[in-house]
């Protein structure tokens, strides 16, 4: 397939053809192709009709929050979420996201012996690996992951697992599966705790300042989020951005709930 010139337009306007189902997904996730104006691409279509209700995310839909995460990602300028739109499909309204081919040799997470990470790695915590053994869970000290950790703190990602990290052969890194985000209560659960408590980079601070302006009343990002998440969730997003700027540091686990999602991968 030829790469799309305008992926968002292709996803929004193209003809969706279902090719199969992603069986390991907890909600309905369909592998599709989309065609429009001579362009073709592979994509994932997640119809709202296939979502399982979540008691702690009673408002809106997983699909809407996935699109909202893409909008915030685009506002950062980092492009960390694949192009994602809300559209009608063969099974009703749902999220449609560009399919990303992963570079299998890329190593972002590892379990290592010892109590300290090696050069180029950041410690997450200890994990049981069977037969009474523990190992240190580490992630790469990678600027792309660090940007994603900032994005997750902004959108309040409750489920940043290893399988949601998609490195590409071109050196890009994408994050996917953002259906449990934007809750008004703090629910950050992630494998990317390696920078917890460390100062934000100047780049991150500049990006957060841009988000604060975009999230102002009547701001462009606010306008894009209003059809997707609640007013209380937008207010909470503003507050998280403000708190990050005020602290100048990456957030730390609160200790009030498990900080790492399960299963972690």
């Amino acid at each position: 397939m030829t790469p799309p010139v305008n992926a968002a337009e292709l996803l929004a306007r193209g003809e969706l053809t279902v090719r199969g189902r992603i069986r390991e997904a907890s909600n309905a996730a369909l592998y599709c192709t989309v065609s429009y104006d001579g362009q073709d691409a592979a994509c994932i279509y997640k119809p709202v009709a296939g979502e399982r209700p979540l008691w702690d995310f009673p408002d809106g839909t997983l699909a809407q929050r996935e699109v909202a995460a893409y909008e915030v990602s685009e506002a950062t300028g980092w492009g960390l979420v694949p192009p994602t739109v809300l559209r009608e499909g063969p099974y009703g309204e749902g999220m449609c996201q560009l399919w990303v081919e992963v570079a299998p040799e890329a190593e972002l997470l590892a379990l290592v012996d010892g109590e300290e990470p090696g050069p180029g790695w950041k410690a997450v915590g200890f994990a049981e690996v069977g037969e009474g053994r523990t190992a240190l869970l580490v992630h790469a000290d990678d600027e792309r992951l660090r940007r994603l950790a900032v994005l997750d703190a902004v959108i309040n990602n409750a489920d940043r697992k290893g399988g949601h990290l998609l490195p590409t052969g071109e050196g890009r890194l994408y994050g996917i599966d953002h259906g449990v985000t934007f809750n008004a209560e703090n629910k950050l659960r992630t494998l990317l705790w390696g920078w917890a408590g460390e100062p934000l980079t100047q780049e991150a601070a500049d990006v957060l300042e841009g988000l604060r302006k975009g999230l102002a009343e009547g701001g462009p990002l606010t306008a894009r989020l209003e059809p997707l998440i609640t007013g209380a969730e937008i207010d909470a997003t503003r507050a998280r951005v403000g708190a990050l700027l005020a602290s100048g540091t990456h957030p730390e686990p609160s200790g009030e709930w498990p900080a790492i999602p399960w299963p972690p991968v």
Side-chain angles (χ1 to χ4, degrees), residues 171-263:
R172 295 289 301 272
L173 175 70
Y174 292 102
I176 61 168
D177 283 356
H178 298 109
V180 286
T181 49
F182 295 101
N183 200 295
E185 298 181 10
N186 189 355
K187 290 184 177 288
L188 183 61
R189 291 191 302 172
T190 175
L191 289 178
L192 303 180
W193 288 115
W195 297 282
E198 293 188 12
L200 295 167
T201 64
Q202 185 60 52
E203 177 195 44
D206 292 342
V207 163
L208 289 167
E209 189 58 50
L211 290 180
R212 176 153 62 182
K213 293 175 181 176
L215 285 165
E217 293 286 348
L221 182 53
T222 296
R224 291 195 293 273
L225 293 179
E226 283 176 337
L228 301 170
I229 58 178
T230 68
E233 289 166 338
I234 294 174
D235 288 341
T237 305
R238 289 191 190 107
R240 288 191 296 271
V241 170
L244 287 166
L245 283 167
S247 72
T249 61
H250 287 268
E252 298 181 75
S254 70
E256 298 175 0
W257 60 85
I260 296 176
W262 186 263

Side-chain angles (χ1 to χ4, degrees), residues 86-226:
L86 196 66
R87 60 161 292 169
E88 286 293 323
Y91 300 101
E93 185 178 66
M95 179 278 281
C96 189
Q97 185 174 81
L98 192 69
W99 178 265
V100 174
E101 292 292 342
V102 177
E105 69 278 5
E107 190 174 20
L108 299 174
L109 298 164
L111 287 167
V112 299
D113 293 325
E115 297 186 358
E116 296 292 336
W121 295 91
K122 304 289 285 186
V124 178
F126 289 96
E128 292 191 12
V129 293
E131 299 181 355
R133 282 186 62 239
T134 61
L136 184 63
L137 176 63
V138 298
H139 64 67
D141 188 3
D142 186 311
E143 189 60 38
R144 300 171 302 171
L145 286 179
R146 191 166 190 170
R147 290 171 175 172
L148 194 58
V150 173
L151 176 67
D152 283 343
V154 170
I155 66 177
N156 198 15
N157 192 350
D159 196 32
R160 175 60 72 207
K161 297 176 179 176
H164 300 167
L165 304 173
L166 305 184
T168 74
E170 295 76 37
R172 295 289 301 272
L173 175 70
Y174 292 102
I176 61 168
D177 283 356
H178 298 109
V180 286
T181 49
F182 295 101
N183 200 295
E185 298 181 10
N186 189 355
K187 290 184 177 288
L188 183 61
R189 291 191 302 172
T190 175
L191 289 178
L192 303 180
W193 288 115
W195 297 282
E198 293 188 12
L200 295 167
T201 64
Q202 185 60 52
E203 177 195 44
D206 292 342
V207 163
L208 289 167
E209 189 58 50
L211 290 180
R212 176 153 62 182
K213 293 175 181 176
L215 285 165
E217 293 286 348
L221 182 53
T222 296
R224 291 195 293 273
L225 293 179
E226 283 176 337

